[in-house]
Amino acid sequence: MKVDFLIIGQGLAGSLFALHAIERGQRVLVIDRDEAETSSRVAAGLITPIAGGRFHLPASLPTRLAYASLWYERYESALEASFFHPTPIARLFQNEAEKQRWEDKIADPAEAAKLDGFWQPLPDTYKENPGIARQHGGFLMQKGGWMDLPAFLDATQRFLLARLSYAIAEFDSRELKVTSSGARWENVEAAQVIFAQGWQADCNRFFDWLPMNAAKGEILELSAPDLQPDDTILNSGGWAIPTRNGRWRVGSTYDHNFEDVSTTEAGRLAVLQKFHSMVDVDFAMISHRAAVRPIIRRSTPFIGRHPQHPQLALLNGFGSKGVINGPWFAKLLLAHLLDGAEIPMENDLAILL
Ligand SMILES: Cc1cc2nc3c(=O)[nH]c(=O)nc-3n(C[C@H](O)[C@H](O)[C@H](O)COP(=O)(O)OP(=O)(O)OC[C@H]3O[C@@H](n4cnc5c(N)ncnc54)[C@H](O)[C@@H]3O)c2cc1C
């Protein structure tokens, strides 16, 4: 079998790259070991344009976010699936200091201009609702939402299977032979191999030098039908996403020093504490899951060709921002490989050497 791209890993990164490549007429084969608990399958899938306690909105974010939103909308039709959920986010201040930081920020004309269109005042429902912690106020974040990543991955897998472009397989880098025209793995001859293995990217012999700094996260699904309004995400240190039928996805922990990938009692309690800091309602626990975020430097994606083997390339480092950044960087890596498009220095794999 001959392909233009052999893609290792069908998480968010591998899926996005495969779909972009197919759209440009490339032949692809995606292989994945079909694990139940991967970063993409466990992730909240949140899109939060204004991030963290400093309310940061990077200058390049509106472009990447607009591209991602349009791309996901288009692919909901192409894949005949529902996975992209634009949803307002009630950003509730955790304390008076945070509230003051926000007020200082929007009082600065340059910062206010950057944030324009990304927020509006919190509706009165939040002031009246006794369930939601509201003592410090907040604002309503716009252009955010969440992505049902398992639904996206499943739809992508069906699409690839129908084109005979997907196989369940465990990839072992010792079995990949670099050749003069590309690379060979089993009976597959590929012009180019894309490594999209998530946090275990450094477990293969070509990329064992990557400075992976992965972070484990634990997440809960709760049933809380009394929690209203249920058409808005809550965000205040932790977050709670209304998914369907009174269910909320709640999270999460963030731990660079983890021993294994299993769920823990400490993780469950930490997530519940975040939930209780935002709301006071009855709930029942539905599930508790854990996975590991692929992080190299914060949530900076790293892309590019392998320094010695140009027929091998990497798409990784999505961190906690894969949903916003993924489509843009999948498109950029493909344009780099096919057309020689330039990679910004801060995302270039070469700077990690
Ligand atoms: C608790 C939690 C919450 C999160 N919340 C958010 C959020 O709100 N918003 C956001 O944008 N991001 C969030 N993330 C991060 C997000 O999940 C990642 O940025 C993104 O999904 C990573 O995608 P990936 O394809 O790089 O990695 P993965 O999803 O890890 O995919 C890698 C794939 O490669 C496969 N693979 C690896 N090695 C091999 C091999 N040797 N052979 C075959 N297959 C292999 C794996 O099985 C997997 O399917 C969260 C993550 C966690 C854990």
Side-chain angles (χ1 to χ4, degrees), residues 49-310:
I50 305 175
R54 307 228 158 250
F55 310 107
H56 188 49
L57 195 151
S60 60
L61 183 134
T63 310
R64 287 182 271 119
L65 176 59
Y67 179 73
S69 302
L70 286 174
W71 194 91
Y72 292 134
E73 264 172 35
R74 194 155 59 79
Y75 269 83
E76 281 197 315
S77 304
L79 300 175
E80 295 176 359
S82 163
F83 44 76
F84 178 51
H85 303 288
T87 310
I89 301 172
R91 176 63 171 89
L92 305 170
F93 300 129
Q94 296 181 70
N95 47 46
E96 286 301 305
E98 198 171 72
K99 179 180 179 179
Q100 191 59 51
R101 270 201 301 279
W102 171 252
E103 284 175 357
D104 292 347
K105 191 139 194 156
I106 53 169
D108 174 338
E111 293 292 338
K114 271 198 252 169
L115 293 165
D116 190 32
F118 284 93
W119 74 281
Q120 54 177 243
L122 207 56
D124 285 346
T125 30
Y126 285 89
K127 295 178 195 137
E128 290 149 15
N129 192 321
I132 295 173
R134 64 194 186 289
Q135 62 269 45
H136 309 294
F139 62 89
L140 202 65
M141 203 187 304
Q142 304 288 80
K143 301 189 190 175
W146 66 285
M147 171 96 168
D148 184 342
L149 283 170
F152 170 66
L153 298 186
D154 291 346
T156 304
Q157 196 185 100
R158 284 194 298 276
F159 176 81
L160 294 171
L161 272 170
R163 303 173 61 96
L164 305 180
S165 297
Y166 179 82
I168 293 178
E170 171 79 37
F171 173 80
D172 181 339
S173 60
R174 289 169 302 185
E175 290 161 7
L176 184 82
K177 209 166 168 211
V178 174
T179 64
S180 55
S181 59
R184 187 176 315 120
W185 174 77
E186 299 201 342
N187 65 344
V188 182
E189 278 184 40
Q192 188 88 50
V193 184
I194 306 297
F195 290 87
Q197 286 175 269
W199 74 285
Q200 283 164 317
D202 55 353
C203 298
N204 87 55
R205 68 187 175 102
F206 300 106
F207 290 100
D208 54 1
W209 47 272
L210 277 180
M212 256 304 158
N213 187 21
K216 178 177 167 182
E218 298 190 42
I219 188 169
L220 303 179
E221 187 168 10
L222 308 178
S223 171
D226 296 338
L227 180 49
Q228 295 294 330
D230 63 357
D231 57 0
T232 306
I233 294 165
L234 298 175
N235 177 202
S236 183
W239 39 259
I241 305 173
T243 51
R244 63 193 152 85
N245 304 334
R247 290 191 174 188
W248 293 75
R249 192 173 295 166
V250 183
S252 72
T253 60
Y254 192 95
D255 186 5
H256 284 293
N257 299 310
F258 57 94
E259 280 168 14
D260 58 46
V261 186
S262 53
T263 56
T264 63
E265 180 60 6
R268 187 181 72 87
L269 293 175
V271 175
L272 284 180
Q273 195 177 15
K274 287 174 193 276
F275 187 59
H276 288 310
S277 74
M278 293 186 287
V279 298
D280 179 16
V281 287
D282 291 337
F283 65 87
M285 201 165 106
I286 309 282
S287 70
H288 177 191
R289 302 174 73 189
V292 182
R293 301 170 183 90
I295 299 178
I296 296 174
R297 284 187 192 157
R298 294 184 298 280
S299 289
T300 306
F302 280 95
I303 62 175
R305 293 181 193 268
H306 186 278
Q308 276 91 45
H309 306 294

